[in-house]
């Protein structure tokens, strides 16, 4: 899988704002879409793994949707908090289960 | 999720020396581990797949003689950057897939600086 694109590249929001990011990927040879949250000096933390078209997953204030036919996924954060500041990575995987990462969206939540 | 450790977290070395980075799966045995590299302002790029008991599988453009991978046991994979040069300076990070291969758990990474 090539050409994984994430937008925006960076984002500053005020505490309490809701925000969303986009991940687009080629829809061929698709197996799963992974979202990770990566804070500085820590290991990337898995948020969601989605496989089916139309999948929606939620974890607290964070949710994600998946459209495999058109090749995109959205990540939503409701009521952003400063502790949400991190880089959010998406990575589709193919049948070999290997991940191809986008360049990430760097989120800064201002208090 | 699973705990994956990496050692060292940061290393600075002189050009021409070799550097070994360890990746350990602390929670479960792993027959496969993945090694990634990240250059500044770029995405994580898969370098190779480490296979316990057999040779590693390298991605296109990654020199296998330059980046030696040894999957010594079911909980340990090592990446050795041989004869390091400044252009090898990068962030190296490993991951361990879960038993189903559906999720990957990452180590904290190693920052290599070659002077």
């Amino acid at each position: 899988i090539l050409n994984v694109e994430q937008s925006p590249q960076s984002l500053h929001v005020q505490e309490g704002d809701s925000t969303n990011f986009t991940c687009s990927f080629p829809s061929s040879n698709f197996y799963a879409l992974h979202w990770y949250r990566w804070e500085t000096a820590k290991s990337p933390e898995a948020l969601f793994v989605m496989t089916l078209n139309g999948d929606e997953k939620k974890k607290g204030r964070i949710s994600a949707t998946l459209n495999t036919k058109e090749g995109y996924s959205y990540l939503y954060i409701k009521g952003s908090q400063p502790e949400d500041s991190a880089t959010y990575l998406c990575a589709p995987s193919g049948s070999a289960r290997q991940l191809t990462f986008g360049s990430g969206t760097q989120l800064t939540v201002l208090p | 999720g699973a705990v994956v450790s990496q050692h060292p977290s940061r290393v600075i070395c002189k050009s021409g020396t070799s550097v070994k980075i360890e990746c350990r799966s602390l929670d479960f045995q792993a027959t496969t581990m993945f090694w990634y590299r990240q250059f500044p302002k770029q995405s994580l790029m898969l370098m190779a797949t480490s296979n316990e008991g057999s040779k590693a599988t390298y991605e296109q453009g990654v020199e296998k003689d330059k980046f030696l991978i040894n999957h010594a046991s079911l909980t340990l994979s090592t990446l050795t950057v041989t004869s390091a040069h400044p252009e090898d300076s990068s962030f190296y990070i490993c991951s361990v897939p879960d038993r189903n291969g559906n999720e990957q758990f990452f180590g904290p990474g190693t920052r290599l600086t070659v002077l």
Side-chain angles (χ1 to χ4, degrees):
Chain A
I1 294 182
L2 301 174
N3 299 327
V4 180
E5 296 184 0
Q6 289 189 247
S7 63
Q9 190 173 10
S10 66
L11 188 59
H12 289 71
V13 300
Q14 288 294 135
E15 182 175 355
D17 287 350
S18 294
T19 187
N20 64 85
F21 325 132
T22 304
C23 172
S24 62
F25 53 89
S27 52
S28 59
N29 192 30
F30 173 86
Y31 178 76
L33 192 284
H34 304 244
W35 278 101
Y36 285 87
R37 169 195 152 93
W38 196 3
E39 291 182 71
T40 304
K42 295 185 178 180
S43 304
E45 173 197 355
L47 291 174
F48 305 112
V49 181
M50 296 181 289
T51 56
L52 299 176
N53 184 48
D55 260 355
E56 291 188 32
K57 293 209 171 178
K58 187 176 181 181
K59 193 176 189 179
R61 294 180 291 99
I62 304 176
S63 60
T65 60
L66 177 66
N67 183 320
T68 60
K69 292 184 179 179
E70 296 181 40
Y72 63 85
S73 175
Y74 294 133
L75 186 80
Y76 301 91
I77 302 178
K78 185 177 179 182
S80 302
Q81 299 297 309
E83 57 265 31
D84 296 328
S85 297
T87 296
Y88 292 82
L89 300 171
C90 76
S93 61
S95 54
R97 309 293 196 269
Q98 294 172 340
L99 302 179
T100 301
F101 281 91
S103 53
T105 292
Q106 187 173 6
L107 173 67
T108 303
V109 182
L110 304 170
Chain B
V3 178
V4 179
S5 70
Q6 269 186 251
H7 178 80
S9 59
R10 184 181 294 269
V11 58
I12 301 173
C13 69
K14 291 183 178 180
S15 186
T17 60
S18 293
V19 175
K20 181 186 284 189
I21 303 170
E22 293 184 349
C23 176
R24 290 183 185 273
S25 174
L26 302 181
D27 282 358
F28 57 84
Q29 296 178 332
T31 56
T32 300
M33 294 185 185
F34 298 103
W35 286 98
Y36 295 83
R37 177 171 58 184
Q38 184 187 38
F39 291 110
K41 298 190 184 301
Q42 296 187 24
S43 59
L44 288 170
M45 296 292 293
L46 180 66
M47 296 176 66
T49 303
S50 174
N51 304 301
E52 193 271 336
S54 65
K55 293 182 179 180
T57 306
Y58 291 83
E59 296 300 301
Q60 191 173 8
V62 179
E63 300 174 56
K64 61 181 180 181
D65 295 329
K66 172 77 172 175
F67 299 99
L68 300 179
I69 291 174
N70 181 19
H71 203 123
S73 72
L74 288 171
T75 58
L76 173 64
S77 174
T78 60
L79 168 68
T80 301
V81 183
T82 61
S83 186
H85 286 88
E87 58 265 29
D88 299 323
S89 298
S90 187
F91 185 77
Y92 295 87
I93 191 168
C94 68
S95 72
V96 176
D98 67 4
R99 292 179 179 85
N100 299 322
N102 293 328
E103 284 194 54
Q104 288 189 28
F105 301 99
F106 283 83
T110 298
R111 173 75 61 191
L112 171 64
T113 303
V114 185
L115 302 175

